[in-house]
């Protein structure tokens, strides 16, 4: 004789167990952001030589794209004082880098797992060009690395309009052109071997646990 199934016990969506899991995920995501920021800061070189006090050569894509230079836009901005301009071209603090990466993830809905992939794309880009990360190019290069990684991994697409809200120094058209230039320098090779991803993922994990 068949009997009616027992009703399922309704689970409390706000249980302490679920809360602990969500908290752990959030902490891990934050740790990945901290690792990315730490690794990035070590690669950023000063724009002003600490010894000679002279402005170093700016590494920013190729000559045809030098009009996208943040340095040019900062120095030509008559609304900024000299002190404000110096702050904008100074070496960024790690906290500011973390906030910038977190802001991108919030705007784009990106997941922490794209950070190791984006970091490897950025490393490959710098290797292909022999350029340096500097105070006036790290933001756009980080944006492009994250954006391309996000598209490659099939995550939510972040529009140029959203990027313009995040970092309004560039227009929607600028972002489209810079992404094309970025992909061209990578020779449109976005494939990362399992061994490469495992190495960078291991690096992130080690930093997280240290």
């Amino acid at each position: 004789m068949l009997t009616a199934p027992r009703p399922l016990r309704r689970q409390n969506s706000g249980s302490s167990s679920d809360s602990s899991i969500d908290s752990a995920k959030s902490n891990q995501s934050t740790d990945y952001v901290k690792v990315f920021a730490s690794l990035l800061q070590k690669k950023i070189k000063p724009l002003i030589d600490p010894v000679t006090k002279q402005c170093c050569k700016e590494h920013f894509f190729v000559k045809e794209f030098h009009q996208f230079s943040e340095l040019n836009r900062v120095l030509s901005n008559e609304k900024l004082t000299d002190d404000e301009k110096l702050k904008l071209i100074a070496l960024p603090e790690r906290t500011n880098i973390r906030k910038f990466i977190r802001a991108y993830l919030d705007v784009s809905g990106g997941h922490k797992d794209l950070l190791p992939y984006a970091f490897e794309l950025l490393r490959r880009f710098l290797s292909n060009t022999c350029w340096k990360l500097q105070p006036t190019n790290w933001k756009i290069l980080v944006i492009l690395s994250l954006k391309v990684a996000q598209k490659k991994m099939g995550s939510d697409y972040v529009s140029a309009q959203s990027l313009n809200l995040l970092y309004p120094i560039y227009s929607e058209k600028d972002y489209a052109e810079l992404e094309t230039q970025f992909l061209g320098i990578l020779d449109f090779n976005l494939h990362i071997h399992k061994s490469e991803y495992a190495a960078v993922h291991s690096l992130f994990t080690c930093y997280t646990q240290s």
Side-chain angles (χ1 to χ4, degrees):
M1 180 176 178
L2 296 176
T3 58
R6 297 175 62 183
L8 295 174
R9 180 179 297 177
R10 185 175 181 180
Q11 296 184 358
N12 184 0
S13 59
S15 66
S16 59
S17 176
D18 291 341
S19 178
S20 298
I21 292 174
D22 291 340
S23 177
K25 289 181 178 179
S26 176
N27 288 338
Q28 189 177 21
S29 179
T30 301
D31 288 341
Y32 268 44
V33 171
K34 289 180 179 179
V35 172
F36 194 110
S38 297
L39 294 173
L40 191 72
Q41 188 188 43
K42 293 178 180 179
K43 289 181 173 291
I44 300 177
K45 305 302 180 184
L47 193 62
I48 298 178
D49 189 290
V51 177
T52 64
K53 305 299 181 182
Q54 298 297 314
C55 190
C56 303
K57 178 182 178 182
E58 188 187 26
H59 293 262
F60 199 92
F61 292 82
V62 291
K63 291 181 179 179
E64 290 78 6
F65 279 79
H66 195 68
Q67 69 267 26
F68 293 108
S69 167
E70 184 178 337
L71 177 62
N72 289 346
R73 299 181 186 215
V74 168
L75 295 181
S76 63
N77 192 329
E78 298 179 354
K79 296 180 180 180
L80 297 174
T81 65
D82 289 342
D83 287 341
E84 289 173 329
K85 291 178 181 180
L86 287 175
K87 287 181 180 179
L88 288 173
I89 62 176
L91 285 172
E93 296 181 0
R94 193 174 305 176
T95 302
N96 292 335
I97 299 175
R98 287 204 305 265
K99 289 180 178 178
F100 189 80
I101 297 170
R102 172 56 62 191
Y104 176 92
L105 295 178
D106 290 342
V107 166
S108 66
H111 191 265
K112 68 174 183 65
D113 285 343
L114 71 87
L115 293 176
Y117 182 32
F119 188 81
E120 176 60 22
L121 288 179
L122 178 59
R123 185 205 63 76
R124 183 179 294 180
F125 175 92
L126 295 173
S127 177
N128 286 356
T129 59
C130 296
W131 294 332
K132 300 175 182 177
L133 281 176
Q134 292 178 314
T136 51
N137 66 17
W138 72 267
K139 288 181 180 177
I140 184 60
L141 290 178
V142 165
I143 285 177
L144 294 173
S145 300
L146 290 168
K147 187 173 188 289
V148 171
Q150 195 167 3
K151 290 170 68 175
K152 177 65 176 176
M153 294 179 71
S155 303
D156 294 336
Y157 176 74
V158 54
S159 66
Q161 183 178 10
S162 296
L163 294 179
N164 182 250
L165 292 174
L166 170 67
Y167 194 44
I169 194 170
Y170 299 106
S171 67
E172 295 179 35
K173 182 180 178 181
D174 290 340
Y175 279 114
E177 290 188 31
L178 287 168
E179 183 179 349
T180 300
Q181 179 68 18
F182 184 84
L183 290 169
I185 290 176
L186 290 177
D187 200 22
F188 292 85
N189 178 19
L190 305 181
H191 177 69
I192 293 180
H193 295 286
K194 289 183 178 179
S195 59
E196 292 176 314
Y197 184 81
V200 71
H201 195 277
S202 176
L203 177 63
F204 269 64
T205 302
C206 289
Y207 265 80
T208 300
Q209 296 174 348
S210 62

